[in-house]
């Protein structure tokens, strides 16, 4: 319920397919599984916001405001691995998570407006005392992506986005564990924020740019902004029959 | 510091417009006093600020914390022990702070408990029952010097003001079926009936009963019917909308200052509420035994002095302690000598979670949830409701169950071995979201000589003033408490017969971790007691050192309890207000001889 919740210490608390065009899904799945054809990825990410193809999903034509072309390629390639399009519900890229991330970078959140950012900074404090770096979210993305790409170049001679899926997974795992060279903790902090923000974009209301078509909500059976269970209070254990609604009012249909 | 403006003197100034500030504003204006309330945050009301559908936004409210106090302007520093360098609490994690009308009371959860009678006389009770040696030497727990019977009318009144839904367990000494048999004797029923349990709490209650415990509905400040409180303010029934904790209630169901008290204060000629007014200190006269008013920074950045005969500090536990230290009221606590009182006995709560993962045929509907309505609890292992002789620790925990909304960003229960990302994560999310539930223990934390609050030597707020420094970590007593309570919670959850049970329990060696939300129930630092050498306040929440200053909120708790704190904070506020009205206004001065 806050910036870094541990769901395991909160009393907490259908399969559906993405409603994105089938061609898009097939395209993405191809890039994720055809390990050798790494040429596919750069070709899609080299021209962010570029030439609109018929049937192309809206977010493919999205021009990032904050991220540079190289960063945008990284973000798409990373989100594609954090929440893959694996036939098991919507993938993060299809769901618009990269768009969500780019928009967040431009909001007060991205500028660190929610955080106490006065020094001195003691990044070597015990991890249990929380985030202690000087970087705002947008600065952490910039530094983190650069560090990640440097690590990929050093190890594989290619930028992250040009690696095949399995190698990207392996590099993400190194980032997560802070085991990439010369990162001074930036990579691990960046990975943690990227993962957190990616989940946010996946499950937040679609008006923020992610969770397109409420696909992530449909996947788990969350009714979104319905916020009215008067008729359901005493229907213990009966599966909830209604699909989600979004804040701006669109109904997503049954899961 | 020179001031830009000096306002007309008033009878009383109240710092903070949360729960306790609102209670005091009502009581003092009822008594005919001229009152100014200074609230650092913006004005907020149900409409338009909490209106549907915009309020039903998990990212904006429960993740980014749009209604919470922005840490950018003022936060705290934290370290685990003296000698360490404290670093700022830069992002929200372990606890959340309110701001604006209603304070944390606008976006709290509404689990509305009374203290247990023996919570109020904890040291005497343990010494009588288990011998003096039972309490470790470094444990600085104290009695309140107030009996449960004295507070009972005030607990009762607050429950009626807040429209609390519950089932009486001990009505005037008679144990009642379906309620909490361990509660202190109450003078009347709850004003609202509880909602039926949602599935996750029904399964818990059935299992608890099977094991011989006596489950009951968690008292919920989420009104369950069309209800009119003693002030004539109307509340509507809660629909378990799932957007409760961290959100304002769009249905006028969750008790908050704006849904229960403030409507009757509107337009009162003797009340002046100023928002965006950040109090920087309480002003004292040359004797330092009398407050002359407060100084604040207004929305335009001007320094303003507000003279007043009475100063009520109701700024939330941590902020209130900080204001006393910044103002030089009382003697700061020194952990080496144990002398001084301001900042002493800081404590927190220790929670654990037991998660139950069911088969896909169990439709848990976790989004049908509230702050407290529809939840169930047991109280067997809290306070001194069980024999501690063999247990080897002081204190205890409530054990409770129920969903609070199943909001998928933050409330996504997965087994600890589930992958954190990738296809494995997605499968786990799909598999478990709608088919799991959890049971929590909320445990008391005792006070210790080396756990305290003082001013940070390095970090400052947006107004250039030192931040408050928290020196805190767990003690062995609490690890034993949580192991004990969590073992019992685990047994109940196994009796719910899920496919899988996992537990998250702090172990000896695990330090206090600010990154994860635990509870917003921080306590102590300006504690109530019977003796000015060991407490900041007398039983009427009046400063021993500066008798025209009254400090409300959980800063006055000498140790933490295994319940949510607001019921006790509110009862103590009404208790203080009654004494101010009956005695202090007639003859201002110390209400208890030092
Ligand atoms: C997310 C959350 C869930 C909670 N759930 C529960 C629950 O289920 N049950 C329960 O019992 N309790 C719960 N609580 C705790 C409950 O909200 C508090 O106990 C209660 O609000 C405390 O009342 P208060 O008057 O002391 O402080 P608050 O209600 O926080 O009010 C303090 C006010 O003082 C203002 N202030 C602070 N400093 C200054 C200053 N320098 N100048 C001017 N104004 C200032 C603040 O802006 C704020 O508005 C919860 C809290 C949170 C945050
Ligand atoms: S759960 Fe009930 S009390 Fe809470 S916000 Fe929703 S309607 Fe209001």
């Amino acid at each position: 319920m806050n910036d870094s919740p541990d769901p395991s210490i909160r009393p907490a608390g259908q399969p559906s397919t993405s409603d994105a065009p089938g061609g898009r899904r097939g395209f993405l799945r191809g890039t994720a599984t055809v390990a050798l054809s790494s040429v596919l990825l750069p070709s899609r990410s080299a021209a962010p916001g570029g030439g609109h193809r018929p049937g192309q999903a809206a977010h493919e034509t999205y021009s990032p405001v904050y991220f540079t072309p190289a960063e945008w390629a990284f973000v798409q390639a990373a989100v594609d691995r954090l929440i893959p399009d694996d036939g098991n519900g919507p993938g993060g890229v299809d769901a618009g998570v990269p768009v969500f991330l780019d928009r967040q970078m431009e909001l007060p959140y991205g500028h660190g407006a929610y955080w106490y950012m006065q020094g001195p900074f003691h990044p070597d404090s015990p991890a249990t005392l929380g985030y202690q770096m000087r970087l705002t979210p947008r600065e952490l993305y910039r530094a983190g992506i650069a560090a990640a790409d440097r690590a990929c170049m050093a190890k594989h001679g290619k930028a992250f986005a040009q690696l095949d899926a399995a190698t990207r997974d392996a590099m993400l795992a190194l980032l997560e564990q802070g085991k990439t060279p010369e990162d001074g903790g930036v990579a691990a902090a960046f990975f943690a924020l990227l993962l957190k923000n990616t989940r946010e974009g996946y499950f937040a209301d679609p008006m923020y740019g992610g969770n397109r078509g409420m696909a992530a909500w449909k996947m788990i059976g969350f009714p979104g902004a319905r916020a009215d269970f008067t008729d359901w209070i005493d229907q213990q254990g009966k599966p909830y029959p209604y699909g989600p609604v979004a804040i701006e009012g669109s109904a997503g249909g049954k899961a | 510091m020179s001031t830009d403006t000096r306002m007309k003197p008033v009878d009383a100034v109240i710092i903070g417009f949360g729960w306790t500030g609102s209670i005091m504003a009502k009581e003092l204006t009822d008594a005919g006093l001229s009152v100014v309330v200074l609230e650092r945050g913006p004005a907020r009301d149900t409409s338009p600020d909490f209106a549907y559908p915009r309020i039903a936004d998990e990212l904006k409210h429960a993740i980014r914390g749009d209604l919470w106090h922005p840490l950018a302007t003022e936060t705290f520093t934290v370290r685990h022990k003296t000698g360490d360098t404290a670093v700022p609490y830069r992002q929200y994690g372990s606890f959340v702070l309110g701001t604006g009308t209603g304070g944390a009371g606008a976006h709290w959860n509404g689990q509305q408990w009374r203290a247990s009678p023996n919570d109020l006389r904890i040291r005497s009770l343990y010494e009588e029952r288990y011998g003096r040696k039972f309490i470790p030497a470094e444990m600085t727990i104290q009695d309140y010097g107030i009996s449960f019977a004295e507070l009972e009318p005030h607990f009762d009144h607050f429950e009626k003001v807040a429209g609390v839904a519950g089932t009486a367990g001990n009505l005037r000494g008679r144990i009642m079926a379906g309620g909490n048999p361990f509660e202190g004797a109450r003078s009347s029923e709850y004003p609202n009936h509880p909602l039926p349990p949602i599935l996750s709490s029904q399964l818990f209650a059935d299992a608890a009963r099977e094991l011989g415990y006596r489950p009951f509905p968690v008292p919920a400040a989420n009104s369950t019917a069309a209800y009119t409180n003693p002030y004539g303010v109307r509340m509507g029934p809660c629909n378990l909308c799932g957007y409760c904790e961290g959100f304002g209630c769009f249905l006028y169901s969750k008790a908050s200052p704006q849904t229960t008290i403030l409507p009757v204060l509107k337009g009162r000629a003797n009340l002046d509420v100023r928002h965006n007014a950040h109090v920087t200190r309480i002003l004292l006269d040359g004797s330092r035994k009398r407050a002359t008013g407060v100084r604040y920074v207004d929305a335009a950045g001007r320094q303003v002095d507000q003279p007043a005969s009475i100063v009520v500090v109701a700024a939330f536990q941590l902020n209130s302690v900080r204001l006393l230290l910044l103002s030089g009221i009382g003697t700061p606590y020194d952990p080496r000598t144990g002398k001084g009182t301001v900042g002493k006995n800081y404590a927190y709560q220790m929670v654990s979670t037991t998660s139950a993962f069911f088969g896909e045929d169990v439709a848990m509907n976790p989004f049908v949830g509230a702050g407290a309505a529809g939840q169930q609890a047991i109280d067997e292992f809290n306070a001194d409701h069980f024999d501690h002789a063999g247990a080897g620790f002081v204190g205890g925990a409530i054990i409770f169950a129920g969903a609070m909304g199943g909001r998928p960003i933050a409330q996504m229960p997965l087994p600890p071995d589930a992958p954190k990302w990738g296809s494995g994560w997605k499968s786990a999310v799909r598999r478990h979201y709608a088919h799991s539930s959890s049971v929590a223990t909320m445990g008391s934390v005792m006070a210790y000589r080396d756990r305290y609050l003082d001013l940070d030597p390095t970090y400052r707020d947006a107004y250039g003033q030192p931040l408050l420094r928290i020196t805190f970590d767990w003690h062995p007593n609490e690890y034993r408490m949580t192991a004990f309570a969590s073992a019992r919670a685990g047994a109940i959850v196994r009796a719910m017969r899920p496919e899988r049970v996992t537990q998250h329990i702090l172990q000896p060696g695990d330090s206090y971790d600010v990154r994860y939300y635990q509870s917003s129930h921080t306590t102590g630092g300006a504690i109530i007691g019977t003796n000015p050498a060991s407490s900041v306040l007398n039983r009427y929440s009046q400063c021993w050192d500066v008798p025209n200053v009254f400090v409300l909120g959980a800063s006055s708790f000498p140790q933490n309890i295994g319940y949510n704190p607001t019921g006790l904070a509110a009862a103590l506020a009404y208790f203080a207000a009654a004494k101010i009205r009956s005695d202090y206004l007639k003859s201002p001065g110390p209400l208890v001889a030092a």
Side-chain angles (χ1 to χ4, degrees), chain B residues 389-450:
Chain B
F393 63 87
V394 175
I398 52 166
I399 303 179
F400 66 104
M404 290 170 180
R407 299 181 297 270
I409 300 174
Q411 300 179 337
M412 180 59 76
L414 298 179
D417 53 5
K420 300 280 177 283
W421 48 276
S423 286
W425 173 80
K426 248 172 97 183
S427 309
V429 162
R430 269 186 54 171
R431 171 66 187 79
H432 297 298
Y433 169 77
H435 312 291
S436 60
S437 71
S438 69
V439 168
T441 70
M442 186 166 70
S444 61
V445 168
M446 296 302 117
Y448 297 92
R449 190 172 163 145
D450 59 352

Side-chain angles (χ1 to χ4, degrees), chain B residues 208-238:
Chain B
R209 225 170 270 120
E210 187 183 316
L211 297 183
Y213 303 131
R214 283 166 285 181
F216 57 90
V218 169
N222 314 111
S223 185
T224 53
Y227 173 73
T228 305
N229 83 3
Y231 302 153
V233 181
R234 293 159 65 101
M235 301 175 77
C238 165

Side-chain angles (χ1 to χ4, degrees), chain B residues 240-255:
Chain B
L240 293 138
C241 79
Y243 293 92
C244 203
E245 183 177 34
F247 304 79
C249 176
F250 64 100
L251 280 180
Y252 301 86
S253 307
K254 179 165 66 178

Side-chain angles (χ1 to χ4, degrees), chain B residues 15 42 47 84 101 131 141 196 212 235 254 256 294 310-311 332 340 375 380 417 437 447 457 459 496 537 558 566 579:
Chain B
I15 308 168
S47 175
D84 290 356
T101 315
I141 57 177
M235 301 175 77
K254 179 165 66 178
S256 67
V294 305
I310 297 175
V311 174
Q375 297 189 1
E380 269 83 355
D417 53 5
S437 71
Y459 294 95
M496 290 161 65
L537 310 176
T566 307
K579 188 70 173 179

Side-chain angles (χ1 to χ4, degrees), chain B residues 337-394:
Chain B
T337 62
K339 300 242 158 53
T341 53
V342 183
K344 180 183 143 139
N345 282 26
Y346 174 76
Y348 191 39
Q349 280 179 329
M350 192 186 257
V351 298
S352 75
T353 303
T354 306
S355 301
F357 299 96
F358 292 90
E360 293 190 68
D361 55 321
V362 178
M364 203 59 81
N365 297 333
F367 36 83
V368 183
Q375 297 189 1
Q376 296 269 319
I378 64 162
D379 210 13
E380 269 83 355
F381 303 109
N382 195 15
D384 196 48
H385 303 161
F386 59 101
D387 186 357
H388 282 73
F393 63 87
V394 175

Side-chain angles (χ1 to χ4, degrees), chain A residues 1-2 4 8-10 12 15 82 84 86 88-89 104 116 118 120 128 132 199-200 208 224-225 236 238, chain B residues 52 57 62 64 68 88 90 197 240 243 245 353 365 403 420-423 426-427 430 438 459-460 514-515 517:
Chain A
M1 57 136 300
N2 51 61
S4 45
S8 69
I9 54 173
R10 307 287 316 150
L82 295 177
D86 53 5
N88 186 23
Q104 290 293 310
Y116 180 83
Q118 292 186 45
T128 49
Q132 294 297 334
R199 289 185 194 153
E200 289 168 3
Y208 294 102
Q236 262 186 14
K238 237 170 101 181
Chain B
Y52 182 84
D57 183 341
R64 299 286 182 261
W68 308 341
R90 296 184 182 276
L240 293 138
Y243 293 92
E245 183 177 34
T353 303
N365 297 333
K420 300 280 177 283
W421 48 276
S423 286
K426 248 172 97 183
S427 309
R430 269 186 54 171
S438 69
Y459 294 95
R460 310 213 150 227
V514 307
R515 293 172 296 175
Y517 190 78

Side-chain angles (χ1 to χ4, degrees), chain B residues 535-571:
Chain B
S535 59
V536 176
L537 310 176
N538 66 27
R539 64 206 304 268
Y540 303 109
S541 298
Q542 179 183 41
C543 274
W544 292 110
D545 287 284
V546 186
N548 66 334
V549 171
F550 293 82
V551 185
L552 306 177
S555 46
S556 70
F557 298 6
Q559 51 278 325
N560 215 314
I561 52 178
Y563 300 109
N564 312 58
T566 307
L568 180 54

